[in-house]
Amino acid sequence: MKTYSFQGVQPRIHPSVYAFDDVVVIGDVEIGADVSLWPGVTVRGDKGPVRIGRGSNVQDHAMLHSDPDHPLVLGTDVTVAHGALLHGCTIGAGTVVGIGAVVLNGVTVGESSRISAGVVLSAGPQYRPRSLIAGNPASVLMTLSDSDVAVLDETAAEYRELADRYRTRLRPVILPGRERPHAGSGA
């Protein structure tokens, strides 16, 4: 993980965070315990604060950014799927943000909700807890049941367990004819 201070403010990252080498974290960012940040994630707290709650996971190539009047806040045990873009929004505890979803300034999503893949949540709306949000334009399709919420909870737990396995079992390899052990060497 590459971390940078910006305008004298440096990230505050709990020692239990698992992050890949190419993750970039800048400025006013606070990341809680047992968070995992997967390949290609960028977290920019250069224009406003970013807070990532305990047990959350931010997957490959997701982008998290804030604005001066719109901090970005992820509650505990939030899953942000591959390629999602979150900007100046608040995502409630236990929520799953789908692959490629876009959530913009001022949006608040209540806890234990599911944002479907590819959805764009335009600036401003507030969504109640346990919402299934889908479609373009986005709308609430239904209120999630207890069994639906249990599946959301399993997603966050699955990624905490996966990060633990990566800590102990991931090993770089040197491929024949390559000088460096990591992909992306430009070769």
Side-chain angles (χ1 to χ4, degrees), residues 35-96:
V35 167
S36 58
L37 304 171
W38 297 86
V41 167
T42 300
V43 183
R44 284 182 42 209
D46 54 357
K47 294 176 71 180
V50 176
R51 304 294 180 254
I52 302 174
R54 175 191 46 76
S56 293
N57 65 90
V58 182
Q59 299 172 15
D60 312 60
H61 302 285
M63 171 65 197
L64 282 62
H65 194 217
S66 57
D67 266 340
D69 294 327
H70 297 285
L72 188 145
V73 179
L74 300 184
T76 59
D77 299 322
V78 169
T79 293
V80 177
H82 316 288
L85 188 153
L86 304 182
H87 201 282
C89 57
T90 299
I91 307 295
T95 293
V96 172

Side-chain angles (χ1 to χ4, degrees), residues 63-67 69-74 83-91 97 100-109 115 118-127 133 136 138:
M63 171 65 197
L64 282 62
H65 194 217
S66 57
D67 266 340
D69 294 327
H70 297 285
L72 188 145
V73 179
L74 300 184
L85 188 153
L86 304 182
H87 201 282
C89 57
T90 299
I91 307 295
V97 178
V102 176
V103 185
L104 299 175
N105 284 0
V107 170
T108 299
V109 177
I115 301 169
V119 170
V120 177
L121 301 180
S122 297
Q126 313 291 305
Y127 296 89
I133 304 165
N136 281 315

Side-chain angles (χ1 to χ4, degrees), residues 127-144:
Y127 296 89
R128 297 171 55 99
R130 293 182 164 218
S131 293
L132 172 60
I133 304 165
N136 281 315
S139 63
V140 176
L141 298 184
M142 63 184 265
T143 299
L144 298 176

